[in-house]
Amino acid sequence: TLTCTSVFWRIAAQKQWYQRRVRGPRAAPAATPQGLSLAVVRSEEQRKTIRQDAWRCFLKDPNGKKFENQYWMWLGASDTEKEGEFREIDGRAADDSSWMSGTPDNWLKLSDEGQDYVAMHRLTGRWDDSYGFHRRPFACQCKEE
């Protein structure tokens, strides 16, 4: 069982974790029973910490090595409630300075549902609005007490 004290990988400063691969809509429900929530990035320091520790995890941790060729990970933000308004899992407006150039774009080529879930590139730390059907690892954190 994954818990706040028994996890694959931990980002010590923010108490955030990396987990297995799931589709976008399933990432939050996968974290909740273990007392975790999807990670949110609210500062450049948090983005840097997640990137550095994801890099270490993908390359060194036995559980992370299976994802070493996976460059995207789910974060706790989406625009599922209202198209174009990205919100963190707690309802706050998502940071709008983190996007890759040209995104969010809600590209419809692969699905009429568009791109509603935020994924972070582990090398650049930049975000993309992404289709929920992709299977990706995700970063978690302990729920705020």
Side-chain angles (χ1 to χ4, degrees):
T1 301
L2 179 68
T3 67
C4 286
T5 56
S6 172
V7 295
F8 293 156
W9 168 69
R10 177 179 161 188
I11 298 175
Q14 281 77 39
K15 294 185 179 178
Q16 295 175 344
W17 291 271
Y18 165 85
Q19 234 270 14
R20 63 184 191 271
R21 288 188 322 163
V22 297
R23 290 183 174 87
R26 295 184 180 165
T32 302
Q34 288 77 31
L36 304 170
S37 65
L38 289 180
V40 295
V41 177
R42 296 187 177 134
S43 70
E44 187 59 36
E45 181 181 342
Q46 288 176 330
R47 180 184 358 266
K48 181 179 176 183
T49 300
I50 288 175
R51 284 179 54 224
Q52 288 173 342
D53 286 353
W55 184 258
R56 282 194 293 272
C57 177
F58 279 94
L59 295 178
K60 294 181 182 176
D61 188 279
N63 293 301
K65 284 185 178 184
K66 60 187 168 187
F67 304 122
E68 64 189 341
N69 293 317
Q70 176 62 254
Y71 288 93
W72 294 95
M73 67 179 105
W74 297 120
L75 293 179
S78 73
D79 72 342
T80 55
E81 296 295 320
K82 184 174 181 185
E83 184 58 44
E85 287 187 16
F86 285 86
R87 298 263 172 211
E88 295 175 353
I89 53 174
D90 65 2
R92 293 184 197 188
D95 175 13
D96 62 1
S97 67
S98 300
W99 296 102
M100 286 185 341
S101 178
T103 62
D105 58 3
N106 197 41
W107 197 49
L108 299 171
K109 184 156 181 137
L110 299 179
S111 170
D112 291 339
E113 293 179 17
Q115 299 174 307
D116 295 324
Y117 298 91
V118 175
M120 186 176 87
H121 195 278
R122 71 176 168 106
L123 300 180
T124 67
R126 294 293 167 209
W127 297 358
D128 183 38
D129 56 328
S130 203
Y131 297 110
F133 59 74
H134 291 299
R135 293 178 59 85
R136 294 184 168 145
F138 56 96
C140 295
Q141 64 189 32
C142 282
K143 291 182 180 179
E144 294 181 13
E145 297 175 6

